[in-house]
Amino acid sequence: MTRPAIEIRNVSKVYRLGSIGATSLKDELGRAWARVRGRAEPSKEGEFAALRDVSFDVEQGQVIGLIGRNGAGKSTLLKILSRITRQTTGEIRIRGRVGSLLEVGTGFHPDLTGRENVFLNGAILGMTKAEIRSKFDEIIAFAEIERFVDTPVKRYSSGMYVRLAFAVAAHLEPEILILDEVLAVGDQQFQTKCLGKMQEISSGDGRTILFVSHSMAAIRRLCQKCVVLDHGVSSPILDIEPAIARYTSNLTESEYNLDVSERPRNWGTEGRILRFEAVRVVSPQLLAFGKPLEIEFTIECTKPVREAMVGLAFNSLEGTRVLTLDSDIRGNFLDFQPGRHILRFRFDDLPLHPGFYHCSASLAGSGFFYDILDPIAVWQVRTSDQDLWSDRSSGGCRMEPKVELIPCHAGSKP
Amino acid sequence: MQNPDSEVVLRPDKSWLQVELKGIWQYRDLLSLLVWRDFVAKYKQTILGPLWFIVQPLVMSVVFTIIFGNVAKLSTDGLPPLLFYLCGQLGWNYFSGNFGANASTLANNAGLFSKVYFPRLVVPLASLVSNLLTFVIQAATFFAFFAYFKYFLHVGGFQLSWTVVFLPLLVLQSAALSLGLGLIMSALTAKYRDLVHLTPLLINLWMYATPVIIPLSKFPEKWQWVVALNPMTSVVESFRLMLLGTGTVSALNIVISVIFTLISLVAGLILFGIVEKTFVDTV
C-alpha cells in the first residue's frame, strides 16, 4: 500500500509583524535570554498566525484544489510545501520529487536568448539538462516562438515572454506539482491552451497536484478534492461542491440586528469602560448605493468618558479599507455618562459600489481604543435607483464630482 | 513509482551544521548553467567581452607600478614591479571576488529564492566556479608577462619555484575562506541591511592589510602582527613564492591561516543554514 504523497501534521506559521528588516538587537537578545532560561518567548504582541494547526493528507495521484480568500494562508502553505520557507511548528512529509510553480518566468535573464533561458529556467525548476534537451522542441512549439528562439528575451513582447515561461513550467514532470494560479497568463486563446495542458498533466500517470486558484471553474475542471482555508484554519479534504459551497458561504451576510456583547476583545481597554453591546441597521433600504445609511449602536458605559468618538469602516473582502466614517472628523467629540446609550449613526449618501464588505467599528479616545470589533459584520451594499452605472466601475467608492462645462471660443480667453 | 529514498521531512528545524550534499549533486546542472550564465550574461553586448577580465587587473597593476613603484618607490622584494603587482592581485582577486559575490547571495537572489526552491548553496558554489574561470584567464595573463619579462626583456631575479605544485591547494584555501566569510556576511546581511555597504569597504581595507602592494618583509615592524594574523597574508605571499621565487612565508603563518579558514567555513555553513530556511519572510 502506498503512503500519502504529502502528510501535513499540525502545521502553524507565525510571522512577526513590524520587524521586517529591522530586528533590533535588544529584541533579539531578549528572545535569546528567554530561550536560555527555557521560558516561552516573551510578548505575543505583533505576531500574526498565517496558518493555525493545519493537518491533511494528499494521496498519491490526487489532484487537490486549495481555495480560500486572500490572506487565508494559501500562499504561505504553498511556500512551506515548496521549501521556500519553514513552518513555525508541526511536521510535513513529502514523498516524491516536488516541482512548484508560484510564478512563471522565475529566473529569466533578459540578456539571454529564448533558447538559453529555457535551459536556465528549466534547471532552476529542477530539470536536468538532458530532460530539457529532450523536451526542447515541444516547449518552443507550445510557446509558439519558433522564429525567436535565438533572440534575447528582453526583445520579446510580454505575451511571448509569459508563453515561453509557462511552456517551460508546463513541461516540468515532477511526481508532485504545486501550482499557484499560473493559469492566468497570456491572452484568452493561450489561457484556454494552458488550461488544456494542465488538464492533460493532471489526468496523466498518477501525478499528485496541489492547485491554488480563485477560479471555481478551473477548480471544478481540474481537481478531484478540495481543501478550504479560512483565516489560517484548514477544512478537512472535501468533495468539490461542498468545498465550493463552504468557501462561498463564508461570504454570506451577517444579520442586520446583532448582539455583539459576547464577542472576544483584545484591544485597548477591551471594552471594560466603553463597549458595543449591539448594532442594528435601521435605514429602510438597509445598505444601498446612493441611499442613506442609518445604524444604531447600543453602547454600555461604566465610567464617565469625555471626548470619545465612534467610527465605522468598510473594507473590501481582500482587506483593503475603502471607506472610513469617523464621528470626530470635525473635532466634535462625544461625552458618555455611566449607563446604556443608543447612538444613532447616519450617513446621507452611501457612496460604496454594490458588493460585500467587512465592516469594523471602534470606540476611541485620544490615541487609544475603548473597543474595537473587526469585523463587526459582513454586509452587502445593494444596488438602488441611484445606481446607474454599476457595470462601469469596480470596487471602492463612487461619488458625484461637481463639474462645470465652459465653452472656449477661438480667440477669446476663458 | 514511489521512491522510498525520496521522502523529505520538513520540520521547524533547529539543527546546526547540515549541508545537503545530495541535493546539491542533484542540481549540478543548475550549477553549471549558473556559471555559464554569469560568464555569458556579463559580456553580452560588450565589444571586448571576456577581455575585461584581463583589463581590470592589468590597469590596476600599471597604476600600482606608477604610483607605488615609481613615485612612492615602495620595495617589491627586488622583483619587477609589474610582475610583483600582477602576482599579488592574482592571489588576492580570487578571494575578494568570491567574498564580494557570496556576501550578497541572499540579498541579491531574494526574488528568486522567494519563488522557487533549490539548495541555496548552489548559488555561492556557482560563483566560486565562475570566479575560477576569471582566475584562470588572469593567471594566463600573468604568465604571458612572465614570459615577456624573462625571455624578451631578459630581466632576471625571478623564477618559478618547485612549490608551484601546491598552487591548487592555495586556490582551494582561498575558495574555502571566501565561501565561509561570504556566507557569514550573507546571513548577517539578510538581517542587517547595513552590511551591504560594509562589505566593499571591508574588502578594500583588507587589501591594504594584505601584502598585495607592500611585501610582508617591508611592512612596518609594529604592524607585523596584524598582517601575521590576517589569513590572506600567507596566501598572497605563497603565490609570490611559488610563481616568482620570492616571498616571506612561515609555518606559523600557514597554520594560523588554515585554522582561520576552517573555522570561518564551518561558521559560515552553520549561519547560512539557519538563515536560509526562513529569510524570505523578512525580505
Side-chain angles (χ1 to χ4, degrees):
Chain A
M1 194 187 133
T2 51
R3 291 179 297 171
I6 306 175
E7 283 177 40
I8 302 172
R9 290 282 167 276
N10 311 103
V11 166
S12 299
K13 172 82 183 174
V14 176
Y15 286 106
R16 271 205 296 278
L17 296 177
S19 62
I20 292 167
T23 344
S24 85
L25 203 57
K26 196 177 133 207
D27 274 7
E28 220 138 281
L29 291 177
R31 269 194 292 277
W33 177 235
R35 236 175 286 145
V36 169
R37 290 182 306 170
R39 302 259 179 89
E41 297 188 0
S43 132
K44 289 278 175 240
E45 214 173 303
E47 286 189 344
F48 166 72
L51 292 175
R52 300 160 200 260
D53 217 16
V54 171
S55 301
F56 62 87
D57 285 357
V58 180
E59 297 301 327
Q60 232 215 306
Q62 244 176 359
V63 181
I64 299 268
L66 197 56
I67 54 183
R69 231 178 273 134
N70 286 348
K74 302 181 303 279
S75 303
T76 305
L77 185 56
L78 292 200
K79 278 190 174 173
I80 294 171
L81 289 173
S82 343
R83 304 175 69 181
I84 287 165
T85 185
R86 281 295 162 99
Q87 67 270 33
T88 314
T89 55
E91 191 178 286
I92 295 172
R93 281 170 194 275
I94 299 174
R95 301 186 181 91
R97 200 174 93 163
V98 177
S100 69
L101 283 182
L102 305 191
E103 188 185 76
V104 288
T106 309
F108 264 39
H109 194 293
D111 282 324
L112 299 179
T113 66
R115 179 191 306 278
E116 293 164 340
N117 268 308
V118 167
F119 278 89
L120 185 62
N121 189 232
I124 286 174
L125 294 174
M127 288 192 255
T128 63
K129 275 189 218 165
E131 279 177 87
I132 303 166
R133 212 169 289 126
S134 71
K135 298 220 177 90
F136 186 79
D137 293 335
E138 231 180 296
I139 292 173
I140 297 301
F142 188 88
E144 305 163 18
I145 55 146
E146 288 91 341
R147 285 172 49 216
F148 308 100
V149 192
D150 292 309
T151 309
V153 297
K154 65 181 173 188
R155 309 218 190 290
Y156 281 23
S157 71
S158 58
M160 288 159 68
Y161 189 93
V162 290
R163 287 208 305 269
L164 182 62
F166 180 86
V168 179
H171 289 80
L172 187 67
E173 286 189 345
E175 289 142 322
I176 300 169
L177 189 58
I178 295 176
L179 293 171
D180 191 358
E181 292 227 83
V182 284
L183 292 175
V185 300
D187 54 23
Q188 196 64 48
Q189 198 190 344
F190 191 71
Q191 278 189 27
T192 314
K193 193 171 167 182
C194 293
L195 205 60
K197 180 75 187 173
M198 300 310 308
Q199 212 160 12
E200 185 190 315
I201 295 172
S202 57
S203 57
D205 55 3
R207 189 163 319 158
T208 312
I209 299 183
L210 206 62
F211 175 59
V212 162
S213 181
H214 284 116
S215 156
M216 294 305 124
I219 293 276
R220 282 197 177 97
R221 220 171 129 183
L222 294 176
C223 304
Q224 300 153 351
K225 298 274 178 181
C226 242
V227 170
V228 186
L229 275 176
D230 184 25
H231 290 96
V233 180
S234 84
S235 73
I237 290 193
L238 301 169
D239 285 326
I240 300 294
E241 291 311 322
I244 291 178
R246 184 166 174 155
Y247 168 62
T248 44
S249 77
N250 286 344
L251 300 182
T252 50
E253 270 185 284
S254 308
E255 301 284 316
Y256 290 102
N257 191 355
L258 292 165
D259 177 2
V260 295
S261 53
E262 300 298 313
R263 297 247 194 114
R265 267 77 162 178
N266 51 14
W267 278 89
T269 60
E270 300 179 344
R272 283 189 298 270
I273 299 170
L274 209 53
R275 181 185 186 86
F276 288 117
E277 292 282 314
V279 55
R280 191 158 74 96
V281 180
V282 293
S283 37
Q285 288 179 303
L286 301 172
L287 290 81
F289 176 80
K291 293 289 181 183
L293 166 69
E294 208 172 333
I295 292 177
E296 276 181 12
F297 292 104
T298 308
I299 296 168
E300 187 73 41
C301 177
T302 52
K303 281 186 204 162
V305 167
R306 287 183 50 77
E307 303 208 333
M309 60 75 82
V310 62
L312 179 67
F314 291 81
N315 305 291
S316 72
L317 296 183
E318 285 75 37
T320 312
R321 171 73 58 90
V322 289
L323 180 64
T324 304
L325 303 173
D326 285 346
S327 68
D328 64 341
I329 190 160
R330 293 187 197 280
N332 37 346
F333 296 107
L334 300 164
D335 295 338
F336 289 85
Q337 292 304 317
R340 184 169 283 247
H341 304 261
I342 299 281
L343 186 128
R344 291 197 160 228
F345 191 99
R346 188 183 156 93
F347 191 71
D348 280 337
D349 196 357
L350 191 64
L352 288 171
H353 191 75
F356 284 93
Y357 294 89
H358 274 281
C359 305
S360 57
S362 60
L363 281 165
S366 50
F368 71 102
F369 292 105
Y370 293 109
D371 197 11
I372 292 186
L373 286 167
D374 184 15
I376 195 167
V378 175
W379 282 324
Q380 187 181 5
V381 173
R382 293 187 167 74
T383 183
S384 75
D385 53 7
Q386 301 291 310
D387 182 21
L388 303 179
W389 308 111
S390 237
D391 52 333
R392 187 195 277 173
S393 54
S394 57
C397 293
R398 214 159 4 120
M399 298 170 88
E400 187 177 12
K402 297 251 185 310
V403 295
E404 197 180 348
L405 188 65
I406 304 164
C408 294
H409 301 291
S412 71
K413 286 203 174 125
Chain B
M1 169 99 196
Q2 216 167 33
N3 178 357
D5 292 341
S6 64
E7 174 168 319
V8 174
V9 183
L10 303 179
R11 293 196 181 90
D13 194 281
K14 305 239 157 46
S15 69
W16 283 58
L17 185 57
Q18 188 186 49
V19 181
E20 287 177 88
L21 290 176
K22 209 175 93 188
I24 293 171
W25 178 245
Q26 279 169 355
Y27 277 87
R28 60 192 182 279
D29 278 352
L30 174 60
L31 195 147
S32 68
L33 280 165
L34 287 177
V35 171
W36 165 86
R37 178 200 67 180
D38 281 355
F39 208 77
V40 174
K42 214 180 261 180
Y43 297 106
K44 284 250 164 158
Q45 290 195 357
T46 62
I47 294 168
L48 289 185
L51 278 180
W52 282 111
F53 287 124
I54 305 174
V55 171
Q56 189 265 342
L58 199 57
V59 170
M60 288 301 280
S61 297
V62 170
V63 169
F64 288 166
T65 306
I66 294 169
I67 296 177
F68 298 112
N70 293 359
V71 178
K73 303 224 186 300
L74 293 179
S75 159
T76 54
D77 264 356
L79 297 166
L82 191 64
L83 283 185
F84 176 89
Y85 295 126
L86 270 177
C87 185
Q89 289 207 55
L90 188 60
W92 172 255
N93 281 357
Y94 183 55
F95 166 79
S96 68
N98 283 332
F99 182 34
N102 293 341
S104 51
T105 299
L106 289 178
N108 280 355
N109 293 284
L112 185 57
F113 287 175
S114 65
K115 292 297 177 197
V116 62
Y117 171 81
F118 50 83
R120 304 317 191 198
L121 269 180
V122 167
V123 173
L125 289 177
S127 73
L128 290 189
V129 178
S130 62
N131 279 324
L132 193 61
L133 294 179
T134 318
F135 174 81
V136 169
I137 294 173
Q138 293 184 354
T141 318
F142 168 80
F143 281 115
F145 277 92
F146 184 97
Y148 176 76
F149 272 80
K150 198 166 189 69
Y151 303 110
F152 204 78
L153 299 180
H154 299 290
V155 176
F158 63 92
Q159 68 282 317
L160 277 183
S161 149
W162 66 269
T163 48
V164 78
V165 296
F166 295 116
L167 193 77
L169 285 182
L170 219 47
V171 174
L172 190 68
Q173 194 198 338
S174 299
L177 181 64
S178 58
L179 180 66
L181 292 175
L183 292 181
I184 293 174
M185 272 315 228
S186 176
L188 294 177
T189 308
K191 275 208 152 155
Y192 310 100
R193 277 299 155 88
D194 305 47
L195 297 176
V196 174
H197 308 286
L198 185 66
T199 311
L201 186 66
L202 188 67
I203 291 176
N204 243 320
L205 292 178
W206 195 337
M207 188 185 83
Y208 290 101
T210 306
V212 176
I213 295 166
I214 309 171
L216 181 58
S217 58
K218 297 295 184 300
F219 257 76
E221 199 65 42
K222 65 173 178 175
W223 294 113
Q224 286 279 355
W225 64 274
V226 174
V227 187
L229 283 178
N230 173 358
M232 280 308 289
T233 299
S234 72
V235 173
V236 171
E237 284 289 326
S238 300
F239 258 86
R240 288 213 184 90
L241 185 63
M242 290 172 183
L243 296 175
L244 296 170
T246 308
T248 319
V249 185
S250 71
L252 179 67
N253 238 318
I254 292 177
V255 170
I256 290 176
S257 167
V258 169
I259 290 174
F260 192 101
T261 302
L262 291 177
I263 292 175
S264 54
L265 183 61
V266 171
L269 289 172
I270 290 173
L271 263 180
F272 189 81
I274 292 172
V275 171
E276 67 166 1
K277 290 185 191 101
T278 54
F279 100 101
V280 298
D281 298 344
T282 57
V283 292

